Amino acid sequence: GSLTFESAPSASGVVRATFELRDDGPWGDPNDRNTSAAQSVVIVVLAVNKAPYFTLPNPSLVVVLPNSGGDAEPYTEQSFATGISAGSPQDDKNQSLTFTVTQLTGQIPFLT
């Protein structure tokens, strides 16, 4: 026979399932046996690493003004990204997060 098991969305953990097989034969007599011995299986559902997520302000525009010498100074935009999460609150909460600049367009040299 086949076993189909579907966990709840984003669920992980261990489950023990115990099975018995029964037939529809007579069972009133103490010598009649219509149920097999119980057998168990352990089902392990591993956690899936969910993608992290964040939100940028809309519109995503940061204006950096040069100092009096004409050079832009290092600039920090407070609360630039919000709603930052490692993914699943249950499984991914202890993961560290790092922002990475993946693409720059324009003609300004950029120092990270």
Side-chain angles (χ1 to χ4, degrees), residues 20-111:
E20 295 177 339
L21 182 62
R22 296 177 190 259
D23 65 32
D24 63 355
W27 57 274
D29 187 310
N31 294 322
D32 290 335
R33 302 282 180 238
N34 71 332
T35 305
S36 70
Q39 296 185 49
S40 296
V41 63
V42 174
I43 300 169
V44 179
V45 178
L46 300 176
V48 174
N49 187 18
K50 304 291 189 304
Y53 55 88
F54 64 99
T55 303
L56 293 181
N58 192 10
S60 297
L61 175 65
V62 176
V63 177
V64 180
L65 301 174
N67 63 18
S68 60
D71 295 324
E73 296 180 3
Y75 177 79
T76 300
E77 178 73 21
Q78 298 297 326
S79 302
F80 178 66
T82 60
I84 300 170
S85 173
S88 166
Q90 302 91 332
D91 301 319
D92 302 325
K93 65 183 174 189
N94 294 323
Q95 294 180 0
S96 61
L97 298 169
T98 304
F99 279 101
T100 304
V101 176
T102 56
Q103 181 180 9
L104 291 173
T105 58
Q107 299 172 10
I108 301 172
F110 190 86
L111 300 175

